[in-house]
Amino acid sequence: TYTWNVLLSVFVRAGRHGEARQMMNEQMLQDCSLDVVTFTTIMTGYTRAGELRTAVELMEEYRARDAAKPPNAQMYNVLLNGFFNAGLFGQALVYFEKMVKVCRPTLVTYNTLITGLSKSGMVRDALGLLEYMIESGLSPDVITFNSVLDGLCKDHRVLDAHHVFKRALERGCQPNVVTYSTLIDGLSKMAKMDEALQLLSMMSEHGCHPNTVTYSSVVDGLLKAGRTDDAISVLGRMKDAGCLPDAVTYNTLIDGFLKRQGLREAVGLLREMLEAGFRPSVVTYTTLCHGLCRAGRFQEAFEILDHMAARGCSPNAVTYSYVVDALCKAGRVTEAVGYFEKMVESKVTPHVIAYSTIIDGLCKAGRIDEAYDFLERMIQAGRIPDVVTYSILVNGLCDAGRIDTGLELFRAMEETGCVPD
RNA sequence: AUACUCAGCACGGCGAAAA
């Protein structure tokens, strides 16, 4: 069993969960030496791929095998995490309730919940859960604190983050490189680059060494703040510290240069990235499309799209949204609609931003009725329009002089529980 | 190294900032 599980975990880690499941089934026919770990391993693979349906099936399959060995907390944790990552908040809670009936939630369970809540913008609840843990005598660990800190930072609550950080210290919880990176990234995203740089120096003094992730956040923040020279010098420090840039670092740099018309540098970095042995990812390609479109070089951008498909790195919803946006902004709205349909035909599910983008393009071109059609389609597809989507339409209606309809939509928005900003 | 939880990159409206 042990050996089998090791083998299966290797497959899962390589993203080959389908094969792993196949192997498990074959093994199952031979004897019964499969255990919770086997099932949990494979479920992990499916949840990472977003195939939650199958993960749940596997848990049921396991449950049906032996009534004396019900699913354990770890198995439930995998599902909880999967539901959160898929944004299926309600489902996560349903399973959490099922879970508490049959087994005791572990520290990891709480950490999973806190991370999920933080990422869904429900930091309040995450904080509440943290208090609850402490009151009920369950000791939060550094991961618990890091998750809460991340939620606070993403909510721009740097002061509160400082508080929580201090409390962690008081409780004897040692900050680690993730803790510092989380804080540094929060500062970078708020363009507080001097503080971010200060913290970067401070962490080393406290015996915690920045890694590639830490440096990349700082580089990203500096580039976005237009401090290109500082970004390059941090990159140098990073290399001196023995941290090699990874694919994300390169994407960050390429994007930063493209946005500052540094096409030359961007191309040089792309070459360097390839030489370092990194394959361009969807993000790399999308970034390049972005750079080409903003330079008005649509033809080349489209070539990249075709190239991607040929390289087995298919464009995703983000890639398509960007192209749709660029076409709209160039006044080529009809072609943009064509690309939107192409996305759907390629079995890529448009996300909220994709819909908002096409709706905006149509509104600005005065094609409000078609924009409404897309709103309709989006709701049909189970995508919830957000504040931005509504703002676009309300704006469009007002510009078209249909102020009453705009007001009506505004009220409809409030009814759906969407808070105006 | 038998399974579960934490940080960095690309995409949308308005506004703000910068120019």
Side-chain angles (χ1 to χ4, degrees):
Chain A
T1 306
Y2 181 92
T3 317
W4 264 101
N5 289 343
V6 175
L7 184 64
L8 293 175
S9 78
V10 169
F11 270 83
V12 166
R13 222 161 306 181
R16 296 162 67 171
H17 44 272
E19 288 161 80
R21 190 184 186 190
Q22 195 63 41
M23 289 162 73
M24 179 182 84
N25 287 337
E26 285 160 17
Q27 174 69 3
M28 200 140 68
L29 298 178
Q30 286 172 27
D31 53 45
C32 290
S33 59
L34 300 174
D35 61 4
V36 219
V37 178
T38 323
F39 279 84
T40 312
T41 306
I42 296 174
M43 280 169 64
T44 305
Y46 280 97
T47 52
R48 290 209 183 122
E51 297 178 48
L52 294 163
R53 193 52 251 161
T54 316
V56 172
E57 250 171 54
L58 280 162
M59 183 160 99
E60 294 315 322
E61 213 175 282
Y62 174 78
R63 196 199 304 281
R65 296 179 85 232
D66 184 354
K69 291 178 187 164
N72 64 10
Q74 266 146 303
M75 206 170 220
Y76 277 104
N77 292 343
V78 173
L79 285 184
L80 289 184
N81 189 39
F83 285 129
F84 272 118
N85 288 337
L88 300 170
F89 178 73
Q91 284 287 73
L93 287 189
V94 168
Y95 273 85
F96 178 65
E97 274 158 25
K98 279 191 190 183
M99 172 179 186
V100 292
K101 283 187 198 136
V102 295
C103 60
R104 188 171 245 309
T106 62
L107 177 60
V108 173
T109 312
Y110 283 104
N111 287 347
T112 305
L113 291 172
I114 288 180
T115 305
L117 291 167
S118 284
K119 282 200 200 304
S120 327
M122 306 172 75
V123 198
R124 273 191 70 87
D125 303 87
L127 282 166
L129 206 50
L130 175 67
E131 295 309 329
Y132 174 80
M133 281 176 76
I134 294 173
E135 279 165 25
S136 46
L138 203 73
S139 209
D141 65 0
V142 65
I143 294 188
T144 323
F145 282 111
N146 288 345
S147 304
V148 172
L149 287 176
D150 189 46
L152 288 169
C153 285
K154 299 231 153 77
D155 211 17
H156 300 215
R157 291 166 59 180
V158 182
L159 276 179
D160 292 321
H162 255 264
H163 253 110
V164 172
F165 182 74
K166 276 200 202 138
R167 278 191 60 196
L169 287 176
E170 282 161 17
R171 292 188 57 88
C173 181
Q174 277 300 319
N176 60 17
V177 61
V178 176
T179 319
Y180 285 107
S181 303
T182 304
L183 294 172
I184 288 176
D185 185 57
L187 291 167
S188 294
K189 293 249 152 57
M190 292 175 68
K192 296 180 183 270
M193 290 319 298
D194 292 321
E195 292 171 55
L197 288 166
Q198 219 178 326
L199 196 53
L200 181 67
S201 316
M202 228 177 79
M203 65 185 282
S204 304
E205 287 162 22
H206 290 202
C208 187
H209 295 287
N211 61 18
T212 301
V213 173
T214 326
Y215 283 114
S216 302
S217 304
V218 176
V219 168
D220 187 45
L222 288 168
L223 287 170
K224 292 205 162 79
R227 294 170 59 173
T228 313
D229 295 338
D230 292 330
I232 293 172
S233 98
V234 170
L235 188 68
R237 273 164 66 188
M238 164 175 173
K239 288 179 182 164
D240 290 342
C243 283
L244 292 177
D246 65 7
V248 173
T249 321
Y250 281 112
N251 290 336
T252 304
L253 289 164
I254 292 172
D255 181 59
F257 279 107
L258 283 178
K259 288 198 172 126
R260 306 242 144 211
Q261 17 273 2
L263 194 62
R264 284 284 119 217
E265 293 90 336
V267 172
L269 284 159
L270 179 64
R271 186 161 302 138
E272 193 182 318
M273 171 177 179
L274 297 176
E275 277 164 9
F278 295 106
R279 310 201 67 75
S281 67
V282 206
V283 176
T284 320
Y285 285 118
T286 306
T287 306
L288 293 173
C289 275
H290 191 142
L292 290 167
C293 287
R294 79 189 341 253
R297 295 158 69 167
F298 285 97
Q299 202 48 49
E300 288 157 89
F302 295 150
E303 280 163 21
I304 289 195
L305 287 186
D306 295 334
H307 181 78
M308 285 176 73
R311 295 285 294 262
C313 178
S314 310
N316 63 16
V318 175
T319 320
Y320 280 110
S321 304
Y322 185 71
V323 175
V324 167
D325 187 51
L327 284 168
C328 286
K329 297 220 160 98
R332 297 160 66 168
V333 183
T334 305
E335 281 172 83
V337 174
Y339 263 92
F340 190 95
E341 303 303 355
K342 191 171 163 189
M343 154 166 63
V344 176
E345 281 160 25
S346 329
K347 299 238 168 52
V348 173
T349 314
H351 58 338
V352 181
I353 297 185
Y355 282 105
S356 302
T357 306
I358 191 74
I359 290 174
D360 182 53
L362 288 164
C363 281
K364 295 232 161 78
R367 294 159 65 168
I368 310 241
D369 295 325
E370 287 168 81
Y372 255 100
D373 291 341
F374 276 99
L375 179 69
E376 195 59 41
R377 271 174 72 173
M378 136 178 221
I379 295 169
Q380 291 291 320
R383 296 281 147 179
I384 321 283
D386 64 11
V387 221
V388 177
T389 322
Y390 283 112
S391 309
I392 290 169
L393 276 162
V394 170
N395 246 315
L397 287 163
C398 292
D399 284 347
R402 294 160 63 175
I403 298 179
D404 293 335
T405 323
L407 273 173
E408 212 173 281
L409 189 65
F410 184 80
R411 291 198 195 98
M413 163 180 120
E414 288 184 313
E415 271 168 35
T416 62
C418 185
V419 186
D421 62 3

